[in-house]
């Protein structure tokens, strides 16, 4: 036992294990410049994620008002919110991975950045496809909203918002209520027969319109001239305005998704190059540490 202890004392002591030295952001070499650029990119990437999420939430708040009439904005808007949150979390991963030069975090950042890029391109394609379909739609395709007005609370709320905002009535024209609504038709037998909802009435500054302002508008049509009727209610249909609203928001979602996706190609290349350099530095560090 004593001999063994003597041999142990004769062996050289192993050097203490050193921690991998992190490179500063501001050093004047290619590795540090790459690190600085990737850090700035990840910081901007975090901002992009927050912006995409905020825009998605705002569009969703508007879309929720007309969801019962048309639901085309649901898929691209939901994707935009999800990918925005995804990008923000991924950016935090990239910031930590870049500062600490952690290959595992950098790999996660690279993979998720590629995934986010593909999702954003998908959002743009979906928005473009839906947008191309909208100009082909006719007023008849929204007739269900007139038939269901008064029966479905969400549908009534959506139609009222549309008619009030764009100062229109029905989808083809105000006559839709007379021809297709069981509530406002001339055979309904209710108080508002031969009428239109109050959201169809023309707004007058400083005047609070009564709930029955559109009741009986179709009665005595021979006496009520077109000019008089035009002064009482909005006679234009809402189809053109509604399709324009959908096109505008689909263009917004698609353009933002694709617009923020294109710069990510630079980030993908930058993070891939930096990841390789970090792995190379760690390999050479291990070799150098082994020799010492």
């Amino acid at each position: 036992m004593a001999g063994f202890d003597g041999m142990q004392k004769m062996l050289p002591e192993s050097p203490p294990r050193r921690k991998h030295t992190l490179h500063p952001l501001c050093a004047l070499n290619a590795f540090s410049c790459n690190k600085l650029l990737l850090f700035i990119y990840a910081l901007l990437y975090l901002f992009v994620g927050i912006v995409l999420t905020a825009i998605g939430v705002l569009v969703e708040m508007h879309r929720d008002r007309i969801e019962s009439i048309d639901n085309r904005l649901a898929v691209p808007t939901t994707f935009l919110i999800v990918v925005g949150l995804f990008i923000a979390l991924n950016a935090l991963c990239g910031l930590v991975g870049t500062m600490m030069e952690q290959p595992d975090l950098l790999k996660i950042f690279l993979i998720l950045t590629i995934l986010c890029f593909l999702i954003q391109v998908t959002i743009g394609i979906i928005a473009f496809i839906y947008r191309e379909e909208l100009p082909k739609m006719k007023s008849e395709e929204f007739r269900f909203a007139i038939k269901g007005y008064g029966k479905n609370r969400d549908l009534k709320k959506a139609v009222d918002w549309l008619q009030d905002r764009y100062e229109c009535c029905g989808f083809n024209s105000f006559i839709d209520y007379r021809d297709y609504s069981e509530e406002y038709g001339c055979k309904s037998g209710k108080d508002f027969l031969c009428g239109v909802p109050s959201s169809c009435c023309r707004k007058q500054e400083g005047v609070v319109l009564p709930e029955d302002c559109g009741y009986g508008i179709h009665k005595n049509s021979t006496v009520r001239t077109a000019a008089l009727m035009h002064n009482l209610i909005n006679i234009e249909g809402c189809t053109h305005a509604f399709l324009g609203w959908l096109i505008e928001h689909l263009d917004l979602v698609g353009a933002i998704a694709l617009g923020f996706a294109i710069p990510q190609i630079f980030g993908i290349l930058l993070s891939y190059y930096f990841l390789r350099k970090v792995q190379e530095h760690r390999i050479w560090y291990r070799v150098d540490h082994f020799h010492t």
Side-chain angles (χ1 to χ4, degrees):
M1 193 70 181
F4 178 77
D5 291 338
M7 290 180 65
Q8 287 290 95
K9 292 178 181 179
M10 292 175 63
L11 292 174
E13 294 184 1
S14 59
R17 187 173 182 82
R18 293 181 300 169
K19 191 175 181 181
H20 172 64
T21 306
L22 300 180
H23 292 70
L25 285 173
C26 301
L28 297 177
N29 57 64
F31 184 86
S32 294
C33 288
N34 192 180
K35 182 177 181 178
L36 177 60
L37 287 174
L38 186 57
F39 180 83
I40 295 173
Y41 171 80
L43 201 60
L44 293 175
Y45 199 48
L46 175 63
F47 176 73
V48 167
I50 295 172
V51 170
L52 288 178
T53 304
I55 293 174
V57 170
L58 288 174
V59 174
E60 176 64 21
M61 291 171 62
H62 285 82
R63 184 198 68 82
D64 188 57
R65 297 173 179 173
I66 53 89
E67 182 179 11
S68 53
I69 300 177
D70 192 278
N71 209 26
R72 280 178 174 80
L73 269 172
V75 174
T77 303
T78 302
F79 272 148
L80 193 66
I81 295 174
V82 171
V83 80
L85 293 172
F86 207 49
I87 285 174
L89 293 174
N90 187 33
L92 292 175
C93 178
L95 286 171
V96 175
T98 303
M99 289 298 298
M100 303 304 297
E101 296 176 17
Q102 287 291 332
D104 292 338
L105 289 178
L106 290 171
K107 287 177 183 177
I108 294 173
F109 177 68
L110 176 60
I111 293 171
L112 294 185
T113 301
I114 294 173
L115 183 60
C116 289
F117 170 78
L118 295 175
I119 294 174
Q120 286 174 252
V121 172
T122 303
I123 293 172
I125 293 173
I126 292 173
F128 176 77
I129 292 173
Y130 285 166
R131 191 218 184 281
E132 290 300 300
E133 292 176 352
L134 289 176
K136 304 173 186 176
M137 298 188 70
K138 306 295 182 184
S139 301
E140 290 74 16
E141 298 183 48
F142 302 111
R143 192 173 290 168
F144 72 93
I146 303 299
K147 292 179 178 179
Y149 188 92
K151 299 178 182 178
N152 185 309
R153 183 178 179 182
D154 292 335
L155 199 57
K156 179 181 183 299
K157 185 178 179 181
V159 173
D160 281 339
W161 176 82
L162 187 64
Q163 293 179 157
D164 185 68
R165 173 167 180 170
Y166 291 103
E167 298 183 350
C168 54
C169 187
F171 283 91
N172 190 37
S173 73
F174 73 103
I175 300 176
D176 286 351
Y177 286 97
R178 184 194 67 186
D179 295 342
Y180 307 113
S181 174
E182 294 180 9
E183 301 286 326
Y184 289 87
C186 291
K187 297 179 181 179
S188 67
K190 299 184 179 180
D191 294 338
F192 33 81
L193 80 165
C194 285
V196 293
S198 58
S199 56
C200 286
C201 296
R202 282 194 172 278
K203 305 297 183 291
Q204 300 177 26
E205 189 175 352
V207 177
V208 178
L209 297 173
E211 186 67 25
D212 61 352
C213 61
Y215 293 1
I217 200 70
H218 295 293
K219 288 182 178 180
N220 303 320
S221 56
T222 56
V223 178
R224 291 180 181 272
T225 63
L228 178 59
M229 191 176 293
H230 187 273
N231 291 330
L232 294 174
I233 63 170
N234 300 305
I235 62 175
E236 297 290 335
C238 298
T239 300
H240 180 73
F242 181 55
L243 293 180
W245 185 90
L246 284 175
I247 289 172
E248 178 185 345
H249 284 75
L250 283 171
D251 284 344
L252 175 66
V253 171
I256 287 175
L258 289 176
F260 281 122
I262 294 173
Q264 289 181 30
I265 298 174
F266 172 74
I268 291 170
L269 297 175
L270 194 63
S271 55
Y272 173 73
Y273 178 77
F274 184 67
L275 174 61
R276 285 186 56 188
K277 290 300 180 183
V278 168
Q279 291 174 329
E280 289 176 6
H281 273 261
R282 284 181 172 265
I283 290 172
W284 284 112
Y285 174 81
R286 293 194 193 101
V287 172
D288 179 66
H289 177 65
F290 177 77
H291 285 308
T292 57

